[in-house]
Amino acid sequence: MDINATLTMEGEGNVEEELGRGKRNKKLSWQLKSLFDKEGKSVSSKADNQNTPKSSGWIKSTYTRRCIFHYATEDEKLEKKFIVWLGKEKRRGRKKEGQIDLYADDNSVRKKPYKLYHQKISSKMFFLELSDNKFDLDDKHIDIALYYLRKKECYHPRDHPFRCTTTDVLFDNYMALVYKDFSEDASDEFWCAGDNQLFLTPYVWGDSRRCGIAWTEVDKIFFPCRLPSEDDKAVTHFLLGVLDLNQKKIDVYDSIYSEPYEAGMNYMQMYARMIPHLLKFSQFDKNHKSFGNVFNKFDIQWQRSPHQTGSTDCGAFLVKFAELLMMGKDVQQFQPEDIKDFRNELV
C-alpha cells in the first residue's frame, strides 16, 4: 500500500471515535445501517440494552437499531443469499420504471459502493477474494475485518473480558519505514520528526482517524504484521502480534510456525524495540494505570496455534485469531478445515 496515497483517506470520520467506550457520542450505534438493509425498511426494535454498560456514557433510548452482528445469527439464509449474489452472472428480469439499476455495464461493479471502514467497495471481486481460498487477502481485507472486530468490542463489551484495540496494516508499514532510521538510543527529537510524529504517535494517543481508540484505555493491542517479501510481491505472509501492556510482552500467533524462526523473529524485534521508546515519548506511564514507568524492550513469546493447510489463508487465520483472542478464547479450539466457512462468514 502506498503510504502517501493512504493519507487521502485520513479526512473521513471514524465510527470508533463516536462509539468507543463513551467517547465522543456524536453518533449512535443504531444510526448505522447494515449493508443488508433495504431502503426504507425499519429494523427498529425495543432494546433491552443489556450489552451497554451503565458507565459507558452512551445515550440510552427505548428503541434502538440492532447492531450489524445480530443479522448473521438471526437470519440463517443471509449468508447463502449473499453468496448467491456473488455468483450472479447477469441481471434477471427487466428494470421496473423508476427503479435504480445498481450495476453498470459490468454487473460485477456496483454503482453505489459500500463504505466499509475508510474504503469504498464497488467491485464484487473484493468479496469474491475474501470468500474464495484461492485468493490471498490483501491490506484492504485485513484492515476492514479488524475495524469490524474493534466495533464489535464497542457494541458488546461484556463479551470481551479485557479492553483492547487493534492497529492496521498501514501502522505496520509505518513501523517498517521508521525502523530504518531507528537506534536504541533514539531521543525525543527522533519521535518529533515529521513523519514519525504524524504517522505513529496518533495511534497511541487515539488521535488517528483510522484507529481512534487511545492505547491508554486498553490492556492489549492487536497488530497485523506482514513479513517483507524477497521478490517484492504485493501480498506476503501475515502473522498476528498481541501487545500485552500489563505484562510488557508481545505474543505472536503464526498460522505456519508455532516456534520462532529467523524471518519472523527479526520482524517482531522491530516492535519489541520501538514500541517502548514510542510509549516513553508519549508519556504513556502517566496515563495508563497499570503500565508503570519501565520502558524496557518487550519480551517476545511465540504461541501455539492452528496451522493453515492452504497457501493463501494466512490473512484469514490472522483475523480469526484476533476474533477469538479478543473474546478470551483459546485459538487452538479452532479447526483449520473450518477456515473456508469463516471466510464466507466474513463476507
Side-chain angles (χ1 to χ4, degrees):
M1 180 182 291
D2 184 1
I3 291 179
N4 292 326
T6 58
L7 293 179
T8 59
M9 299 186 295
E10 298 296 324
E12 299 186 25
N14 189 337
V15 177
E16 297 169 84
E17 294 184 341
E18 293 87 23
L19 296 181
R21 298 193 176 277
K23 183 180 179 182
R24 301 185 190 178
N25 293 310
K26 296 178 183 178
K27 295 181 181 179
L28 305 177
S29 61
W30 47 88
Q31 292 176 315
L32 301 173
K33 292 187 62 178
S34 164
L35 64 163
F36 303 113
D37 278 353
K38 293 182 179 179
E39 189 68 25
K41 182 180 178 181
S42 173
V43 293
S44 298
S45 60
K46 193 162 185 176
D48 53 11
N49 280 342
Q50 61 180 355
N51 286 318
T52 304
K54 295 181 179 180
S55 60
S56 69
W58 285 23
I59 299 176
K60 304 298 188 298
S61 174
T62 304
Y63 292 92
T64 64
R65 290 185 184 273
R66 293 178 178 177
C67 85
I68 57 175
F69 302 102
H70 288 292
Y71 285 88
T73 56
E74 295 184 359
D75 187 350
E76 297 179 355
K77 298 180 180 179
L78 181 60
E79 181 180 321
K80 183 178 180 180
K81 291 177 183 177
F82 203 58
I83 297 300
V84 170
W85 174 79
L86 290 177
K88 285 183 178 180
E89 296 181 353
K90 62 181 180 179
R91 190 178 184 279
R92 295 182 179 181
R94 294 184 178 181
K95 185 177 67 171
K96 298 180 182 179
E97 184 177 355
Q99 180 182 357
I100 299 176
D101 190 354
L102 295 178
Y103 301 100
D105 295 336
D106 179 0
N107 77 326
S108 67
V109 177
R110 182 179 170 89
K111 282 187 174 180
K112 186 178 181 181
Y114 296 122
K115 184 178 179 182
L116 307 177
Y117 188 37
H118 285 276
Q119 306 284 349
K120 292 183 179 179
I121 308 300
S122 59
S123 173
K124 283 186 182 180
M125 281 305 299
F126 171 85
F127 299 101
L128 288 170
E129 291 171 351
L130 185 58
S131 63
D132 193 338
N133 58 8
K134 295 178 182 178
F135 296 94
D136 293 293
L137 300 191
D138 59 17
D139 298 0
K140 188 182 299 185
H141 292 114
I142 299 296
D143 286 349
I144 290 175
L146 292 179
Y147 164 69
Y148 279 101
L149 289 184
R150 294 195 302 272
K151 193 156 71 168
K152 186 176 183 179
E153 196 270 347
C154 290
Y155 279 125
H156 303 284
R158 292 186 179 181
D159 294 337
H160 299 76
F162 51 83
R163 298 170 301 170
C164 58
T165 187
T166 80
T167 60
D168 54 14
V169 180
L170 187 61
F171 179 83
D172 185 61
N173 292 341
Y174 291 156
M175 288 285 288
L177 182 66
V178 172
Y179 191 61
K180 296 177 181 178
D181 300 321
F182 174 77
S183 63
E184 296 293 347
D185 58 349
S187 63
D188 289 350
E189 286 74 15
F190 173 81
W191 296 107
C192 288
D195 291 347
N196 303 347
Q197 187 170 20
L198 175 63
F199 294 153
L200 293 178
T201 53
Y203 282 86
V204 180
W205 295 332
D207 292 334
S208 171
R209 301 296 292 178
R210 299 174 62 86
C211 301
I213 299 177
W215 292 7
T216 55
E217 302 297 324
V218 302
D219 300 306
K220 294 184 180 181
I221 301 149
F222 295 77
F223 49 89
C225 297
R226 185 178 59 186
L227 298 186
S229 173
E230 297 179 358
D231 52 2
D232 296 327
K233 286 185 178 180
V235 177
T236 57
H237 181 56
F238 283 105
L239 50 82
L240 175 68
V242 183
L243 176 62
D244 190 322
L245 294 170
N246 298 324
Q247 298 187 29
K248 298 182 176 62
K249 67 172 183 174
I250 296 176
D251 292 321
V252 182
Y253 295 84
D254 192 320
S255 57
I256 296 181
Y257 304 100
S258 292
E259 299 292 337
Y261 57 100
E262 184 178 2
M265 180 58 75
N266 289 342
Y267 200 79
M268 298 312 301
Q269 290 285 356
M270 173 181 70
Y271 278 85
R273 291 171 179 166
M274 286 182 59
I275 293 296
H277 286 267
L278 178 60
L279 296 180
K280 183 177 181 180
F281 167 74
S282 304
Q283 297 183 330
F284 191 77
D285 56 317
K286 297 181 180 179
N287 298 284
H288 195 278
K289 296 181 180 179
S290 57
F291 182 79
N293 57 0
V294 179
F295 296 93
N296 297 329
K297 175 184 172 183
F298 288 109
D299 293 329
I300 301 175
Q301 298 182 6
W302 233 263
Q303 302 294 334
R304 297 188 63 82
S305 56
H307 290 173
Q308 64 187 76
T309 55
S311 61
T312 58
D313 289 327
C314 60
F317 271 87
L318 181 155
V319 177
K320 186 61 181 180
F321 292 160
E323 180 188 51
L324 292 171
L325 292 168
M326 290 174 79
M327 294 188 294
K329 298 182 179 180
D330 185 359
V331 298
Q332 296 192 64
Q333 295 178 352
F334 178 71
Q335 301 300 319
E337 56 269 21
D338 294 335
I339 196 63
K340 180 174 176 58
D341 292 336
F342 176 66
R343 292 181 70 149
N344 286 336
E345 181 184 337
L346 286 178
V347 173

